[in-house]
Amino acid sequence: MKKEHGTIQNYVIGFILSLVFTLIPYYLAVTHTVTGNVLLGTILTFALLQAAVQVFFFLHLGREQSPHWQSKFLAITVGGIFVVTVGTTWIMYHLHENMTPTETELKLAQDEGIGQVGGKATGACVGNSEMHMVVIKNGAVSPYHTDAHRCDTIMFMNEDNVPREIAFGPHENHEPYGGVAALALNSVQEQQTLTLNESGTYMFHDHLHAEVIGDFTVTP
């Protein structure tokens, strides 16, 4: 008959292995020795090793009097590990998605001049920069194209006696820029200023008169 309970030596070995398999992934995570999918794979590997230690050194799998319990217990253990691992990964993924700054949050940070929160950059621009002027007159944009640097500003001015609504992206497929969905220019000489906090080339147009278009390029 097999001995059902472990020895003190087995418990000590299991305890030491448990500490090692806990401290190694913790160290890799906090020191950023590995990152991304490599870190995730490493953590999952050590989690499985940790589970094996618990099963064999503390739950004594293989020492019970009825051998048929071995396969059942192992199946339950593997199933539990799978559920916990997949569930934890799913929760972490959705937390990351929900905690990523949105366009609205970026605009709020820009409007309030909040460059950092908790030591992390918000993406908002803080401080003075160069201003670029874009004038809409006689249904045309001047200049049609503007080159600027990140954190510059661009001022849109309407010199026509018709209301304008400056939107970004192609007509009917608007894409907010820096948290700004559109700029209203409802009267002659009305102006609206936009902070260029995202790099790249972007199209803009008058949503009310789609033929009025232009673009700007923002470099870091």
Side-chain angles (χ1 to χ4, degrees), residues 27 47-48 53 70 77 106 135 169:
Y27 173 81
L48 293 174
V53 168
Q70 295 183 25
T77 301
L106 178 58
V135 178

Side-chain angles (χ1 to χ4, degrees), residues 119-185:
K120 295 183 178 180
T122 62
C125 294
V126 179
N128 297 324
S129 57
E130 183 178 355
M131 177 178 287
H132 305 269
M133 179 72 73
V134 172
V135 178
I136 304 175
K137 184 176 182 179
N138 298 324
V141 174
S142 178
Y144 176 84
H145 174 79
T146 300
D147 287 309
H149 292 92
R150 186 178 181 278
C151 291
D152 285 354
T153 56
I154 185 169
M155 177 181 288
F156 296 91
M157 177 183 289
N158 180 22
E159 292 195 355
D160 289 336
N161 193 24
V162 294
R164 307 266 181 208
E165 184 178 314
I166 304 301
F168 305 97
H171 186 55
E172 300 297 345
N173 293 306
H174 300 175
E175 299 175 355
Y177 178 85
V180 178
L183 299 172
L185 303 173

Side-chain angles (χ1 to χ4, degrees), residues 2-3 9 16 45-46 54 58 71 83 86 88 109 128 139 141 148-149 159 161 167 171 180 188 190:
K2 293 183 179 180
K3 190 175 181 180
Q9 180 181 6
I16 294 174
T45 299
F46 277 99
Q54 302 298 321
F58 296 106
S71 58
V83 171
V86 173
T88 301
N128 297 324
V141 174
H149 292 92
E159 292 195 355
N161 193 24
H171 186 55
V180 178
V188 177
E190 185 168 356

